[in-house]
Amino acid sequence: MAYIGAVILVFSLAFGFVSERLLDAPSIIIVVVGSVFIALYAFGRDLSSVWRALAAPEPSAALALTAICVLRSGRSFAVAVGVTGTLSGMTIMLFNMDDPSQLSAGMAIATLTQIYGILLGFVVLTPLIGAVRRKHSPTSGEA
């Protein structure tokens, strides 16, 4: 059931329902690379707990809780990096006020980084939190 949204998104991209104008490489790089670097700085080795918890058929309570903590923080990091990208795009726009043809690049970064941050945080990471929770035994009440 959780994959229906991903299938709809891929279908809409494949058949042109979502414009290629919504795909902006600088915005994607800002959000993804920024979020990964912040997560690596904040968690270091604990970042691998996410992959171990997702790969394990039934992760331990400690592993599941660590993975959920990392994913929740990653969700916050993605949204925060989206906001930072929005501010960067606004700054680019302000620097280019004398040339109206250059305003669109800054506006694209300003808008799309926030969209990508929200998508990464809530469309990618939130379902992973649910997956770790479902893998952890629901009767233990620890996750």
Side-chain angles (χ1 to χ4, degrees):
M1 194 66 177
Y3 297 106
I4 291 175
V7 170
I8 291 171
L9 179 64
V10 169
F11 180 78
S12 64
L13 283 172
F15 292 103
F17 297 122
V18 176
S19 174
E20 63 273 353
R21 293 183 201 164
L22 291 177
L23 300 175
D24 183 50
S27 300
I28 294 171
I29 291 169
I30 289 170
V31 171
V32 173
V33 173
S35 299
V36 168
F37 279 152
I38 292 172
L40 282 172
Y41 179 76
F43 294 106
R45 288 187 179 177
D46 284 342
L47 205 56
S48 66
S49 67
V50 173
W51 312 122
R52 288 182 304 177
L54 288 170
E58 195 171 314
S60 67
L63 181 63
L65 289 174
T66 303
I68 289 170
C69 177
V70 169
L71 288 169
R72 282 183 177 169
S73 297
R75 180 174 57 191
S76 299
F77 297 156
V79 173
V81 170
V83 170
T84 305
T86 299
L87 296 173
S88 300
M90 295 290 189
T91 304
I92 292 169
M93 284 177 46
L94 289 173
F95 279 126
N96 294 323
M97 287 298 274
D98 27 333
D99 186 9
S101 66
Q102 297 295 319
L103 293 178
S104 62
M107 187 61 170
I109 291 174
T111 307
L112 291 175
T113 51
Q114 187 63 46
I115 292 171
Y116 294 151
I118 291 169
L119 287 175
L120 178 61
F122 291 100
V123 175
V124 175
L125 297 177
T126 298
L128 290 177
I129 293 169
V132 173
R133 281 186 178 161
R134 282 189 302 276
K135 282 186 166 212
H136 182 62
S137 65
T139 57
S140 69
E142 293 184 50

